[in-house]
mmCIF file of all heavy atoms in Angstrom:
data_model
loop_
_atom_site.group_PDB
_atom_site.id
_atom_site.type_symbol
_atom_site.label_atom_id
_atom_site.label_comp_id
_atom_site.label_asym_id
_atom_site.label_seq_id
_atom_site.Cartn_x
_atom_site.Cartn_y
_atom_site.Cartn_z
ATOM 1 N N PRO A 114 -30.617 17.475 -23.506
ATOM 2 C CA PRO A 114 -31.583 16.727 -22.666
ATOM 3 C C PRO A 114 -32.653 17.586 -22.052
ATOM 4 O O PRO A 114 -33.814 17.153 -21.977
ATOM 5 C CB PRO A 114 -30.633 16.062 -21.588
ATOM 6 C CG PRO A 114 -29.265 15.970 -22.282
ATOM 7 C CD PRO A 114 -29.283 17.195 -23.203
ATOM 8 N N ILE A 115 -32.335 18.816 -21.699
ATOM 9 C CA ILE A 115 -33.365 19.679 -21.147
ATOM 10 C C ILE A 115 -34.365 20.026 -22.200
ATOM 11 O O ILE A 115 -35.565 20.024 -22.029
ATOM 12 C CB ILE A 115 -32.712 21.012 -20.580
ATOM 13 C CG1 ILE A 115 -31.853 20.629 -19.328
ATOM 14 C CG2 ILE A 115 -33.781 22.079 -20.285
ATOM 15 C CD1 ILE A 115 -32.644 20.270 -18.159
ATOM 16 N N ARG A 116 -33.903 20.283 -23.409
ATOM 17 C CA ARG A 116 -34.894 20.620 -24.529
ATOM 18 C C ARG A 116 -35.756 19.309 -24.774
ATOM 19 O O ARG A 116 -36.822 19.500 -25.066
ATOM 20 C CB ARG A 116 -33.930 20.887 -25.865
ATOM 21 C CG ARG A 116 -33.315 22.119 -25.831
ATOM 22 C CD ARG A 116 -32.435 22.361 -26.966
ATOM 23 N NE ARG A 116 -31.735 23.731 -26.938
ATOM 24 C CZ ARG A 116 -30.521 23.997 -27.419
ATOM 25 N NH1 ARG A 116 -29.882 22.946 -27.905
ATOM 26 N NH2 ARG A 116 -29.891 25.107 -27.362
ATOM 27 N N GLU A 117 -35.160 18.127 -24.723
ATOM 28 C CA GLU A 117 -36.021 16.945 -24.838
ATOM 29 C C GLU A 117 -37.116 16.895 -23.807
ATOM 30 O O GLU A 117 -38.217 16.449 -24.044
ATOM 31 C CB GLU A 117 -35.199 15.735 -24.859
ATOM 32 C CG GLU A 117 -34.255 15.552 -26.063
ATOM 33 C CD GLU A 117 -33.286 14.428 -25.931
ATOM 34 O OE1 GLU A 117 -33.414 13.523 -25.070
ATOM 35 O OE2 GLU A 117 -32.262 14.383 -26.758
ATOM 36 N N LEU A 118 -36.707 17.109 -22.609
ATOM 37 C CA LEU A 118 -37.691 17.181 -21.476
ATOM 38 C C LEU A 118 -38.803 18.222 -21.697
ATOM 39 O O LEU A 118 -39.969 17.956 -21.281
ATOM 40 C CB LEU A 118 -36.978 17.361 -20.100
ATOM 41 C CG LEU A 118 -36.081 16.243 -19.667
ATOM 42 C CD1 LEU A 118 -35.302 16.737 -18.396
ATOM 43 C CD2 LEU A 118 -36.921 15.011 -19.313
ATOM 44 N N VAL A 119 -38.418 19.371 -22.362
ATOM 45 C CA VAL A 119 -39.423 20.393 -22.749
ATOM 46 C C VAL A 119 -40.447 19.797 -23.685
ATOM 47 O O VAL A 119 -41.641 19.896 -23.557
ATOM 48 C CB VAL A 119 -38.711 21.612 -23.118
ATOM 49 C CG1 VAL A 119 -39.754 22.535 -23.735
ATOM 50 C CG2 VAL A 119 -37.958 22.403 -22.059
ATOM 51 N N GLU A 120 -39.827 19.188 -24.695
ATOM 52 C CA GLU A 120 -40.604 18.611 -25.775
ATOM 53 C C GLU A 120 -41.545 17.567 -25.345
ATOM 54 O O GLU A 120 -42.728 17.492 -25.777
ATOM 55 C CB GLU A 120 -39.728 18.038 -26.945
ATOM 56 C CG GLU A 120 -39.034 19.071 -27.801
ATOM 57 C CD GLU A 120 -38.052 18.398 -28.792
ATOM 58 O OE1 GLU A 120 -38.177 17.176 -29.082
ATOM 59 O OE2 GLU A 120 -37.223 19.056 -29.327
ATOM 60 N N GLU A 121 -41.147 16.721 -24.371
ATOM 61 C CA GLU A 121 -41.976 15.737 -23.784
ATOM 62 C C GLU A 121 -42.980 16.183 -22.686
ATOM 63 O O GLU A 121 -43.710 15.449 -22.156
ATOM 64 C CB GLU A 121 -41.069 14.531 -23.266
ATOM 65 C CG GLU A 121 -40.235 13.917 -24.295
ATOM 66 C CD GLU A 121 -39.110 13.015 -23.796
ATOM 67 O OE1 GLU A 121 -39.192 12.630 -22.535
ATOM 68 O OE2 GLU A 121 -38.362 12.440 -24.599
ATOM 69 N N GLY A 122 -42.860 17.395 -22.319
ATOM 70 C CA GLY A 122 -43.804 18.081 -21.440
ATOM 71 C C GLY A 122 -43.408 17.877 -19.939
ATOM 72 O O GLY A 122 -44.213 18.228 -19.021
ATOM 73 N N PHE A 123 -42.209 17.459 -19.627
ATOM 74 C CA PHE A 123 -41.707 17.321 -18.221
ATOM 75 C C PHE A 123 -41.388 18.588 -17.631
ATOM 76 O O PHE A 123 -41.432 18.812 -16.405
ATOM 77 C CB PHE A 123 -40.615 16.272 -18.161
ATOM 78 C CG PHE A 123 -41.040 14.804 -18.426
ATOM 79 C CD1 PHE A 123 -40.731 14.200 -19.627
ATOM 80 C CD2 PHE A 123 -41.611 14.163 -17.343
ATOM 81 C CE1 PHE A 123 -41.073 12.948 -19.799
ATOM 82 C CE2 PHE A 123 -42.138 12.855 -17.726
ATOM 83 C CZ PHE A 123 -41.719 12.147 -18.920
ATOM 84 N N ILE A 124 -40.871 19.526 -18.462
ATOM 85 C CA ILE A 124 -40.472 20.835 -18.081
ATOM 86 C C ILE A 124 -41.249 21.817 -18.948
ATOM 87 O O ILE A 124 -41.349 21.632 -20.229
ATOM 88 C CB ILE A 124 -38.961 21.071 -18.182
ATOM 89 C CG1 ILE A 124 -38.233 20.123 -17.349
ATOM 90 C CG2 ILE A 124 -38.475 22.433 -18.020
ATOM 91 C CD1 ILE A 124 -36.774 20.086 -17.445
#
Side-chain angles (χ1 to χ4, degrees):
I115 294 292
R116 290 176 179 145
E117 290 171 17
L118 291 171
V119 170
E120 286 176 21
E121 294 171 11
F123 289 104
I124 296 172

